[in-house]
Coordinates of all heavy atoms in Angstrom, one line a residue:
M1 N -13.0 -21.8 7.1 CA -12.2 -20.7 7.2 C -12.2 -19.8 5.9 O -12.3 -18.6 5.9 CB -10.8 -21.1 7.5 CG -9.8 -20.0 7.5 SD -8.8 -20.1 9.0 CE -7.6 -18.9 8.6
A2 N -12.2 -20.5 4.8 CA -12.2 -19.8 3.5 C -13.5 -19.0 3.3 O -13.5 -17.9 2.7 CB -12.0 -20.8 2.4
S3 N -14.6 -19.6 3.8 CA -15.9 -18.9 3.6 C -15.9 -17.6 4.4 O -16.5 -16.6 4.0 CB -17.0 -19.8 3.9 OG -17.0 -20.1 5.3
S4 N -15.4 -17.6 5.6 CA -15.4 -16.4 6.4 C -14.5 -15.3 5.8 O -14.8 -14.1 5.8 CB -14.9 -16.7 7.8 OG -13.6 -17.1 7.9
L5 N -13.4 -15.7 5.2 CA -12.5 -14.7 4.5 C -13.2 -14.2 3.3 O -13.0 -13.0 2.9 CB -11.2 -15.4 4.2 CG -10.2 -15.7 5.3 CD1 -9.0 -16.4 4.8 CD2 -9.9 -14.4 6.0
R6 N -13.9 -15.1 2.6 CA -14.6 -14.6 1.4 C -15.7 -13.5 1.8 O -15.8 -12.5 1.1 CB -15.3 -15.8 0.8 CG -16.0 -15.5 -0.5 CD -16.7 -16.8 -1.1 NE -17.3 -16.5 -2.3 CZ -16.8 -16.6 -3.5 NH1 -15.5 -17.0 -3.6 NH2 -17.5 -16.4 -4.6
G7 N -16.4 -13.7 2.9 CA -17.3 -12.7 3.3 C -16.6 -11.4 3.7 O -17.1 -10.3 3.4
E8 N -15.5 -11.5 4.3 CA -14.7 -10.3 4.7 C -14.3 -9.6 3.4 O -14.3 -8.3 3.4 CB -13.5 -10.7 5.5 CG -13.8 -11.0 7.0 CD -12.5 -11.3 7.8 OE1 -11.6 -10.4 7.7 OE2 -12.5 -12.3 8.4
V9 N -13.8 -10.3 2.4 CA -13.4 -9.7 1.2 C -14.5 -9.0 0.5 O -14.4 -7.8 0.0 CB -12.7 -10.7 0.3 CG1 -12.4 -10.1 -1.1 CG2 -11.4 -11.2 0.9
K10 N -15.7 -9.6 0.5 CA -16.9 -9.0 -0.1 C -17.3 -7.7 0.6 O -17.6 -6.7 0.0 CB -18.1 -10.0 -0.1 CG -18.0 -11.0 -1.2 CD -19.3 -11.8 -1.2 CE -19.4 -12.7 -2.3 NZ -20.7 -13.5 -2.3
K11 N -17.2 -7.8 1.9 CA -17.6 -6.6 2.8 C -16.6 -5.5 2.5 O -17.0 -4.3 2.4 CB -17.6 -7.0 4.2 CG -18.1 -5.9 5.2 CD -18.3 -6.5 6.6 CE -17.1 -6.0 7.4 NZ -17.2 -6.3 8.8
L12 N -15.3 -5.8 2.4 CA -14.3 -4.8 2.2 C -14.5 -4.2 0.8 O -14.5 -3.0 0.7 CB -12.9 -5.5 2.2 CG -11.7 -4.6 1.9 CD1 -11.5 -3.5 3.0 CD2 -10.5 -5.4 1.7
Y13 N -14.8 -5.0 -0.2 CA -15.1 -4.5 -1.6 C -16.3 -3.5 -1.6 O -16.2 -2.4 -2.1 CB -15.3 -5.6 -2.5 CG -15.4 -5.2 -4.0 CD1 -14.3 -4.9 -4.7 CD2 -16.7 -5.0 -4.6 CE1 -14.4 -4.5 -6.0 CE2 -16.8 -4.6 -5.9 CZ -15.7 -4.3 -6.6 OH -15.8 -3.9 -7.9
K14 N -17.3 -3.9 -0.9 CA -18.5 -3.1 -0.8 C -18.3 -1.8 -0.1 O -18.7 -0.7 -0.5 CB -19.7 -3.8 -0.1 CG -20.3 -4.9 -1.0 CD -21.4 -5.6 -0.3 CE -22.0 -6.7 -1.1 NZ -23.2 -7.3 -0.5
N15 N -17.5 -1.8 1.0 CA -17.2 -0.6 1.7 C -16.3 0.3 0.9 O -16.6 1.5 0.9 CB -16.4 -0.9 3.0 CG -17.4 -1.5 4.1 OD1 -18.6 -1.4 4.0 ND2 -16.8 -2.2 5.1
L16 N -15.3 -0.2 0.2 CA -14.5 0.6 -0.6 C -15.3 1.2 -1.8 O -15.1 2.4 -2.1 CB -13.3 -0.2 -1.1 CG -12.2 -0.4 -0.1 CD1 -11.2 -1.5 -0.6 CD2 -11.4 0.9 0.1
L17 N -16.2 0.4 -2.4 CA -17.0 0.9 -3.5 C -17.9 2.0 -3.0 O -18.1 3.0 -3.7 CB -17.8 -0.3 -4.0 CG -18.5 -0.1 -5.4 CD1 -17.4 0.2 -6.4 CD2 -19.3 -1.3 -5.7
Y18 N -18.4 1.9 -1.8 CA -19.3 3.0 -1.2 C -18.4 4.2 -1.0 O -18.9 5.4 -1.3 CB -19.9 2.5 0.1 CG -20.7 3.5 0.8 CD1 -22.0 3.8 0.3 CD2 -20.2 4.2 1.9 CE1 -22.8 4.8 1.0 CE2 -21.0 5.2 2.5 CZ -22.3 5.5 2.0 OH -23.0 6.4 2.7
L19 N -17.3 4.1 -0.4 CA -16.4 5.3 -0.1 C -15.9 5.9 -1.4 O -15.6 7.1 -1.5 CB -15.2 4.9 0.7 CG -15.5 4.6 2.2 CD1 -14.3 4.0 2.9 CD2 -16.0 5.9 2.8
G20 N -15.8 5.1 -2.5 CA -15.3 5.7 -3.7 C -16.2 6.6 -4.4 O -15.8 7.3 -5.4
R21 N -17.4 6.7 -4.0 CA -18.4 7.6 -4.6 C -17.9 9.1 -4.5 O -18.3 9.9 -5.4 CB -19.8 7.5 -4.0 CG -20.4 6.2 -4.2 CD -21.8 6.1 -3.6 NE -21.8 6.5 -2.2 CZ -22.8 7.1 -1.6 NH1 -23.9 7.2 -2.2 NH2 -22.7 7.5 -0.4
E22 N -17.2 9.4 -3.5 CA -16.8 10.8 -3.3 C -15.3 11.1 -3.7 O -14.8 12.1 -3.3 CB -17.0 11.2 -1.8 CG -18.4 11.2 -1.4 CD -18.6 11.7 0.1 OE1 -17.8 12.5 0.5 OE2 -19.5 11.1 0.7
Y23 N -14.7 10.1 -4.3 CA -13.3 10.2 -4.7 C -13.0 11.4 -5.6 O -13.8 11.7 -6.5 CB -12.8 8.9 -5.3 CG -11.3 8.8 -5.4 CD1 -10.6 8.6 -4.2 CD2 -10.6 8.9 -6.6 CE1 -9.2 8.4 -4.3 CE2 -9.3 8.8 -6.6 CZ -8.6 8.6 -5.5 OH -7.2 8.5 -5.5
P24 N -12.0 12.2 -5.3 CA -11.7 13.5 -6.0 C -11.6 13.3 -7.6 O -12.0 14.1 -8.3 CB -10.4 14.0 -5.5 CG -10.3 13.4 -4.1 CD -11.1 12.1 -4.2
K25 N -11.1 12.2 -8.0 CA -10.9 12.0 -9.5 C -12.2 11.4 -10.1 O -12.2 11.1 -11.3 CB -9.7 11.1 -9.8 CG -8.4 11.8 -9.5 CD -7.3 10.9 -10.0 CE -6.0 11.7 -9.9 NZ -4.8 10.9 -10.4
G26 N -13.2 11.1 -9.3 CA -14.4 10.5 -9.8 C -14.7 9.1 -9.4 O -13.7 8.3 -9.2
A27 N -15.9 8.8 -9.3 CA -16.3 7.4 -8.9 C -15.9 6.4 -9.9 O -15.5 5.3 -9.6 CB -17.8 7.4 -8.6
D28 N -16.0 6.7 -11.2 CA -15.7 5.7 -12.3 C -14.2 5.4 -12.2 O -13.8 4.2 -12.4 CB -16.1 6.3 -13.6 CG -17.6 6.3 -13.8 OD1 -18.3 5.6 -13.2 OD2 -18.0 7.2 -14.6
Y29 N -13.4 6.4 -12.0 CA -11.9 6.2 -11.9 C -11.6 5.3 -10.7 O -10.9 4.3 -10.8 CB -11.2 7.5 -11.7 CG -9.7 7.4 -11.4 CD1 -8.8 7.2 -12.5 CD2 -9.2 7.5 -10.1 CE1 -7.5 7.1 -12.2 CE2 -7.9 7.4 -9.9 CZ -7.0 7.2 -10.9 OH -5.7 7.1 -10.6
F30 N -12.2 5.6 -9.6 CA -12.0 4.8 -8.4 C -12.5 3.3 -8.6 O -11.8 2.4 -8.2 CB -12.7 5.4 -7.2 CG -12.4 4.7 -5.9 CD1 -11.3 5.1 -5.2 CD2 -13.2 3.7 -5.4 CE1 -11.0 4.5 -4.0 CE2 -12.9 3.1 -4.2 CZ -11.8 3.5 -3.5
R31 N -13.7 3.2 -9.2 CA -14.3 1.8 -9.4 C -13.4 1.0 -10.3 O -13.1 -0.2 -10.0 CB -15.6 2.0 -10.0 CG -16.4 0.6 -10.0 CD -17.8 0.7 -10.7 NE -18.6 1.8 -10.1 CZ -19.0 2.9 -10.7 NH1 -18.7 3.0 -12.0 NH2 -19.7 3.8 -10.1
S32 N -12.8 1.6 -11.3 CA -12.0 0.8 -12.2 C -10.7 0.4 -11.5 O -10.2 -0.7 -11.7 CB -11.7 1.6 -13.5 OG -10.9 2.7 -13.2
R33 N -10.1 1.3 -10.7 CA -8.9 0.9 -10.0 C -9.1 -0.1 -8.9 O -8.3 -1.0 -8.7 CB -8.3 2.2 -9.4 CG -7.9 3.3 -10.3 CD -6.6 3.0 -11.0 NE -5.5 2.8 -10.1 CZ -4.5 3.6 -9.9 NH1 -4.4 4.7 -10.6 NH2 -3.5 3.4 -9.0
L34 N -10.3 0.0 -8.3 CA -10.7 -1.0 -7.2 C -10.8 -2.3 -7.8 O -10.3 -3.3 -7.3 CB -11.9 -0.5 -6.5 CG -12.5 -1.4 -5.4 CD1 -11.5 -1.5 -4.3 CD2 -13.8 -0.9 -5.0
K35 N -11.5 -2.4 -8.9 CA -11.8 -3.7 -9.6 C -10.5 -4.3 -10.0 O -10.3 -5.5 -9.8 CB -12.7 -3.5 -10.8 CG -13.1 -4.8 -11.4 CD -14.1 -4.5 -12.5 CE -14.5 -5.9 -13.2 NZ -15.5 -5.7 -14.2
A36 N -9.6 -3.5 -10.6 CA -8.3 -4.0 -11.0 C -7.5 -4.6 -9.8 O -6.8 -5.6 -10.0 CB -7.5 -2.9 -11.7
A37 N -7.5 -3.9 -8.7 CA -6.8 -4.3 -7.5 C -7.3 -5.7 -7.0 O -6.6 -6.5 -6.6 CB -6.8 -3.3 -6.5
F38 N -8.6 -5.8 -7.0 CA -9.2 -7.0 -6.5 C -9.0 -8.2 -7.5 O -8.8 -9.3 -7.1 CB -10.7 -6.8 -6.2 CG -10.9 -6.4 -4.8 CD1 -10.7 -5.0 -4.4 CD2 -11.4 -7.2 -3.8 CE1 -10.9 -4.6 -3.2 CE2 -11.6 -6.8 -2.5 CZ -11.4 -5.5 -2.2
L39 N -9.1 -7.9 -8.8 CA -8.9 -9.0 -9.7 C -7.4 -9.4 -9.8 O -7.2 -10.6 -10.1 CB -9.3 -8.5 -11.1 CG -10.8 -8.4 -11.4 CD1 -11.1 -7.8 -12.8 CD2 -11.5 -9.7 -11.2
K40 N -6.5 -8.5 -9.5 CA -5.1 -8.9 -9.4 C -4.8 -10.0 -8.4 O -4.0 -10.9 -8.6 CB -4.3 -7.7 -9.1 CG -2.8 -7.9 -9.1 CD -2.0 -6.6 -8.9 CE -2.0 -6.3 -7.5 NZ -1.1 -5.2 -7.1
N41 N -5.6 -10.0 -7.3 CA -5.4 -10.9 -6.2 C -6.5 -12.0 -6.1 O -6.6 -12.6 -5.1 CB -5.3 -10.2 -4.9 CG -4.1 -9.2 -4.9 OD1 -3.0 -9.6 -5.1 ND2 -4.3 -8.0 -4.6
K42 N -7.3 -12.2 -7.2 CA -8.4 -13.1 -7.1 C -8.0 -14.6 -6.9 O -8.7 -15.4 -6.4 CB -9.3 -12.9 -8.3 CG -8.7 -13.5 -9.6 CD -9.7 -13.4 -10.7 CE -9.0 -14.1 -11.9 NZ -9.9 -14.2 -13.0
D43 N -6.8 -14.9 -7.4 CA -6.4 -16.3 -7.3 C -5.6 -16.6 -6.0 O -5.1 -17.8 -5.9 CB -5.5 -16.7 -8.5 CG -6.3 -16.6 -9.8 OD1 -7.5 -16.9 -9.8 OD2 -5.7 -16.2 -10.8
E44 N -5.5 -15.7 -5.1 CA -4.8 -15.9 -3.8 C -5.5 -17.0 -3.0 O -6.7 -16.8 -2.8 CB -4.6 -14.6 -3.1 CG -3.7 -14.7 -1.9 CD -2.3 -15.0 -2.3 OE1 -1.7 -14.4 -3.2 OE2 -1.7 -16.0 -1.7
T45 N -4.8 -18.0 -2.5 CA -5.4 -19.0 -1.7 C -4.9 -19.1 -0.3 O -5.5 -19.7 0.6 CB -5.3 -20.4 -2.4 OG1 -3.9 -20.6 -2.6 CG2 -6.0 -20.5 -3.7
D46 N -3.7 -18.5 0.0 CA -3.1 -18.6 1.3 C -3.9 -17.7 2.3 O -4.0 -16.5 2.0 CB -1.6 -18.1 1.2 CG -0.9 -18.1 2.5 OD1 -1.3 -19.0 3.4 OD2 0.0 -17.3 2.7
P47 N -4.4 -18.3 3.3 CA -5.3 -17.5 4.3 C -4.5 -16.3 4.9 O -5.0 -15.2 5.1 CB -5.7 -18.5 5.3 CG -5.6 -19.8 4.7 CD -4.5 -19.7 3.7
E48 N -3.2 -16.5 5.2 CA -2.4 -15.5 5.8 C -2.2 -14.3 4.8 O -2.3 -13.1 5.2 CB -1.1 -16.0 6.3 CG -1.2 -16.9 7.5 CD -1.9 -16.3 8.7 OE1 -1.6 -15.1 9.0 OE2 -2.7 -17.0 9.3
K49 N -2.0 -14.6 3.6 CA -1.8 -13.5 2.6 C -3.1 -12.8 2.4 O -3.1 -11.6 2.2 CB -1.3 -14.2 1.3 CG -1.1 -13.2 0.1 CD 0.0 -12.3 0.4 CE 0.2 -11.4 -0.9 NZ 1.1 -10.3 -0.7
I50 N -4.2 -13.5 2.4 CA -5.5 -12.9 2.2 C -5.8 -12.0 3.4 O -6.3 -10.8 3.2 CB -6.6 -14.0 2.1 CG1 -6.5 -14.7 0.8 CG2 -8.0 -13.3 2.1 CD1 -7.4 -15.9 0.7
K51 N -5.4 -12.4 4.6 CA -5.6 -11.5 5.8 C -4.8 -10.3 5.7 O -5.2 -9.2 6.1 CB -5.3 -12.3 7.1 CG -6.3 -13.3 7.5 CD -5.9 -14.1 8.7 CE -6.9 -15.2 9.0 NZ -6.5 -16.0 10.2
Q52 N -3.6 -10.4 5.2 CA -2.7 -9.2 4.9 C -3.3 -8.3 3.9 O -3.3 -7.0 4.1 CB -1.3 -9.6 4.5 CG -0.5 -10.3 5.5 CD 0.9 -10.8 5.0 OE1 1.1 -10.8 3.7 NE2 1.7 -11.2 5.8
L53 N -3.9 -8.8 2.9 CA -4.5 -8.0 1.9 C -5.8 -7.3 2.4 O -6.1 -6.1 2.1 CB -4.9 -8.8 0.6 CG -3.7 -9.3 -0.2 CD1 -4.1 -10.4 -1.2 CD2 -3.0 -8.2 -0.9
I54 N -6.5 -8.0 3.3 CA -7.7 -7.4 3.9 C -7.3 -6.2 4.8 O -7.9 -5.2 4.8 CB -8.5 -8.4 4.7 CG1 -9.2 -9.4 3.7 CG2 -9.5 -7.8 5.6 CD1 -9.8 -10.6 4.4
A55 N -6.2 -6.5 5.6 CA -5.7 -5.4 6.5 C -5.2 -4.2 5.7 O -5.5 -3.0 6.1 CB -4.5 -6.0 7.3
R56 N -4.6 -4.4 4.5 CA -4.2 -3.3 3.6 C -5.4 -2.6 3.1 O -5.5 -1.3 3.1 CB -3.4 -3.9 2.5 CG -2.9 -2.8 1.6 CD -2.0 -3.4 0.5 NE -1.5 -2.3 -0.4 CZ -1.0 -2.6 -1.6 NH1 -0.9 -3.8 -2.0 NH2 -0.6 -1.6 -2.3
G57 N -6.5 -3.3 2.8 CA -7.7 -2.7 2.3 C -8.4 -1.8 3.4 O -8.9 -0.7 3.2
E58 N -8.3 -2.3 4.7 CA -8.9 -1.6 5.8 C -8.1 -0.3 6.0 O -8.6 0.7 6.4 CB -8.9 -2.4 7.0 CG -10.0 -3.5 6.9 CD -10.0 -4.5 8.0 OE1 -9.0 -4.5 8.8 OE2 -10.9 -5.4 8.0
F59 N -6.7 -0.4 5.8 CA -5.9 0.8 5.9 C -6.3 1.8 4.8 O -6.4 3.0 5.1 CB -4.4 0.4 5.8 CG -3.5 1.6 5.7 CD1 -3.2 2.3 6.9 CD2 -3.0 2.0 4.5 CE1 -2.3 3.3 6.9 CE2 -2.1 3.1 4.5 CZ -1.8 3.8 5.7
V60 N -6.6 1.4 3.7 CA -7.0 2.3 2.6 C -8.3 2.9 3.0 O -8.5 4.1 2.7 CB -7.1 1.5 1.2 CG1 -7.8 2.3 0.2 CG2 -5.8 1.1 0.8
I61 N -9.2 2.2 3.6 CA -10.5 2.8 4.1 C -10.2 3.9 5.0 O -10.8 5.0 4.9 CB -11.4 1.7 4.7 CG1 -12.0 0.8 3.6 CG2 -12.5 2.3 5.5 CD1 -12.8 -0.4 4.1
K62 N -9.3 3.7 6.0 CA -9.0 4.7 6.9 C -8.4 6.0 6.2 O -8.7 7.1 6.6 CB -8.1 4.2 8.0 CG -8.7 3.2 8.9 CD -7.8 2.7 10.0 CE -8.4 1.6 10.8 NZ -7.5 1.0 11.7
E63 N -7.5 5.7 5.3 CA -6.9 6.8 4.5 C -8.0 7.6 3.8 O -7.9 8.9 3.7 CB -5.9 6.3 3.6 CG -4.6 5.8 4.3 CD -3.8 6.9 4.9 OE1 -3.6 8.0 4.3 OE2 -3.4 6.7 6.1
L64 N -8.9 6.9 3.1 CA -10.0 7.6 2.4 C -10.9 8.4 3.3 O -11.2 9.6 3.0 CB -10.9 6.6 1.6 CG -10.3 6.0 0.4 CD1 -11.1 4.9 -0.1 CD2 -10.1 7.1 -0.7
E65 N -11.2 7.9 4.5 CA -12.0 8.6 5.4 C -11.3 9.9 5.9 O -11.9 10.9 6.1 CB -12.4 7.7 6.6 CG -13.4 6.7 6.3 CD -13.6 5.6 7.4 OE1 -12.8 5.6 8.3 OE2 -14.6 4.9 7.3
A66 N -10.0 9.8 6.1 CA -9.2 10.9 6.5 C -9.2 12.0 5.4 O -9.3 13.2 5.7 CB -7.8 10.5 6.9
L67 N -9.0 11.5 4.2 CA -9.0 12.4 3.0 C -10.3 13.2 3.0 O -10.4 14.4 2.8 CB -8.8 11.6 1.8 CG -8.9 12.4 0.4 CD1 -7.7 13.3 0.2 CD2 -9.1 11.5 -0.7
Y68 N -11.5 12.5 3.1 CA -12.8 13.1 3.0 C -13.0 14.1 4.2 O -13.6 15.1 4.0 CB -13.9 12.1 3.0 CG -13.8 11.2 1.8 CD1 -14.4 9.9 1.8 CD2 -13.2 11.6 0.6 CE1 -14.3 9.1 0.7 CE2 -13.1 10.8 -0.5 CZ -13.7 9.5 -0.5 OH -13.6 8.7 -1.6
F69 N -12.6 13.6 5.4 CA -12.7 14.5 6.6 C -11.9 15.8 6.4 O -12.4 16.9 6.7 CB -12.3 13.8 7.8 CG -12.4 14.6 9.1 CD1 -13.6 14.8 9.6 CD2 -11.2 15.2 9.6 CE1 -13.7 15.6 10.8 CE2 -11.3 16.0 10.7 CZ -12.6 16.2 11.3
L70 N -10.7 15.7 5.9 CA -9.9 16.9 5.7 C -10.5 17.8 4.6 O -10.5 19.0 4.8 CB -8.5 16.4 5.2 CG -7.5 17.6 5.0 CD1 -7.3 18.3 6.3 CD2 -6.2 17.0 4.5
R71 N -11.1 17.2 3.6 CA -11.7 18.0 2.5 C -12.9 18.8 3.1 O -13.1 19.9 2.8 CB -12.1 17.1 1.4 CG -12.6 17.9 0.2 CD -12.8 17.1 -1.0 NE -13.8 16.0 -0.8 CZ -14.2 15.2 -1.7 NH1 -13.8 15.3 -2.9 NH2 -15.0 14.2 -1.4
K72 N -13.7 18.1 3.9 CA -14.9 18.7 4.5 C -14.5 19.8 5.5 O -15.1 20.9 5.6 CB -15.8 17.7 5.2 CG -16.5 16.8 4.1 CD -17.3 15.7 4.8 CE -18.0 14.8 3.8 NZ -18.7 13.8 4.4
Y73 N -13.4 19.5 6.2 CA -12.9 20.5 7.2 C -12.4 21.8 6.5 O -12.7 22.9 6.9 CB -11.8 19.9 8.0 CG -11.0 20.9 8.8 CD1 -11.5 21.3 10.0 CD2 -9.8 21.4 8.4 CE1 -10.9 22.3 10.8 CE2 -9.1 22.3 9.2 CZ -9.6 22.7 10.4 OH -9.0 23.7 11.1
R74 N -11.7 21.6 5.4 CA -11.2 22.7 4.7 C -12.4 23.5 4.1 O -12.3 24.8 4.0 CB -10.3 22.3 3.6 CG -8.9 21.9 4.1 CD -8.0 21.4 3.0 NE -6.7 21.1 3.5 CZ -5.8 20.4 2.8 NH1 -6.0 20.0 1.6 NH2 -4.6 20.1 3.4
A75 N -13.4 22.9 3.6 CA -14.5 23.5 3.0 C -15.3 24.3 4.1 O -15.6 25.5 3.9 CB -15.5 22.6 2.4
M76 N -15.4 23.8 5.3 CA -16.1 24.5 6.4 C -15.3 25.7 6.8 O -15.8 26.7 7.1 CB -16.3 23.5 7.6 CG -17.4 22.5 7.3 SD -19.0 23.1 7.0 CE -19.5 23.5 8.6
K77 N -14.0 25.5 6.9 CA -13.1 26.5 7.4 C -13.1 27.7 6.4 O -13.2 28.8 6.7 CB -11.6 26.0 7.5 CG -10.7 27.0 8.1 CD -9.3 26.4 8.3 CE -8.4 27.5 8.8 NZ -7.0 27.0 8.9
H78 N -13.1 27.3 5.1 CA -13.2 28.4 4.0 C -14.5 29.1 4.1 O -14.5 30.3 3.9 CB -13.0 27.7 2.7 CG -13.0 28.7 1.5 ND1 -12.0 29.5 1.3 CD2 -13.9 28.9 0.6 CE1 -12.3 30.3 0.3 NE2 -13.4 29.9 -0.2
R79 N -15.6 28.5 4.4 CA -16.9 29.2 4.5 C -17.0 30.1 5.7 O -17.6 31.2 5.6 CB -18.0 28.1 4.7 CG -18.4 27.6 3.4 CD -19.7 26.7 3.6 NE -19.6 25.7 2.6 CZ -19.8 24.4 2.8 NH1 -20.2 24.0 4.0 NH2 -19.8 23.5 1.8
Y80 N -16.4 29.7 6.8 CA -16.7 30.5 8.0 C -15.5 31.4 8.5 O -15.7 32.2 9.4 CB -17.0 29.6 9.2 CG -18.4 28.9 8.9 CD1 -18.4 27.6 8.6 CD2 -19.5 29.6 9.0 CE1 -19.7 27.0 8.4 CE2 -20.8 29.0 8.7 CZ -20.8 27.7 8.4 OH -22.0 27.1 8.2
Y81 N -14.3 31.3 7.9 CA -13.2 32.1 8.3 C -12.7 32.8 7.1 O -12.5 32.2 6.0 CB -12.1 31.3 8.9 CG -12.6 30.6 10.2 CD1 -12.9 29.3 10.2 CD2 -12.7 31.3 11.4 CE1 -13.3 28.6 11.4 CE2 -13.1 30.8 12.6 CZ -13.4 29.4 12.6 OH -13.8 28.8 13.7
S82 N -12.4 34.1 7.2 CA -11.8 34.8 6.1 C -10.3 34.5 6.0 O -9.6 34.1 7.0 CB -12.0 36.3 6.3 OG -11.3 36.8 7.4
D83 N -9.8 34.7 4.8 CA -8.4 34.5 4.6 C -7.5 35.7 5.0 O -6.3 35.7 5.0 CB -8.1 34.2 3.1 CG -8.6 32.8 2.8 OD1 -8.8 32.0 3.7 OD2 -8.9 32.6 1.6
D84 N -8.2 36.8 5.4 CA -7.5 38.0 5.7 C -6.8 37.8 7.1 O -7.5 37.5 8.1 CB -8.4 39.2 5.8 CG -9.0 39.5 4.4 OD1 -8.4 39.1 3.4 OD2 -10.1 40.1 4.4
K85 N -5.6 38.1 7.2 CA -4.9 38.0 8.5 C -4.6 39.4 9.0 O -4.1 40.3 8.3 CB -3.6 37.2 8.3 CG -3.8 35.8 7.7 CD -2.8 34.9 8.2 CE -2.8 33.6 7.6 NZ -3.7 32.7 7.3
P86 N -4.9 39.6 10.3 CA -4.7 41.0 10.8 C -3.2 41.4 11.0 O -2.3 40.7 10.9 CB -5.3 40.9 12.2 CG -5.5 39.4 12.5 CD -5.4 38.7 11.2

């Protein structure tokens, strides 16, 4: 059981690291915060607590994706629609 959770944690870290490349404050800022968050919980051994932390990480992934989608939407809207209101 612990090995499957370990794989999930690694996958979560890699996904977050990949998503952090486009973070508004910069990839280095995101990477340092991500590393600190994972190191803070590195000694956790309770499988239920680890599952909760993984679920929290997946929530963060969804929030980042929403943030990036919104930023891209605003950029596209700005390109194709004028700010002048009739």
Side-chain angles (χ1 to χ4, degrees):
M1 175 133 167
S3 63
S4 66
L5 289 177
R6 184 177 180 92
E8 285 185 50
V9 171
K10 281 184 171 183
K11 187 172 99 172
L12 177 67
Y13 186 81
K14 286 180 181 182
N15 287 341
L16 283 166
L17 196 59
Y18 177 78
L19 285 173
R21 295 182 309 152
E22 295 181 34
Y23 195 70
K25 289 188 176 183
D28 292 332
Y29 173 82
F30 187 85
R31 188 179 310 115
S32 66
R33 300 283 302 247
L34 178 65
K35 185 176 180 179
F38 272 76
L39 286 176
K40 182 176 80 172
N41 297 307
K42 73 176 182 170
D43 295 327
E44 190 62 52
T45 56
D46 181 27
E48 291 302 316
K49 178 68 174 169
I50 294 172
K51 287 178 184 178
Q52 288 176 350
L53 292 168
I54 290 171
R56 184 175 177 196
E58 290 170 353
F59 175 77
V60 170
I61 286 175
K62 289 178 185 175
E63 290 291 316
L64 283 171
E65 288 172 344
L67 173 74
Y68 297 155
F69 179 77
L70 183 61
R71 185 171 59 175
K72 289 177 183 178
Y73 169 78
R74 287 180 177 164
M76 293 294 286
K77 186 177 177 184
H78 181 71
R79 276 188 211 136
Y80 294 108
Y81 296 103
S82 66
D83 290 336
D84 299 333
K85 302 212 186 313

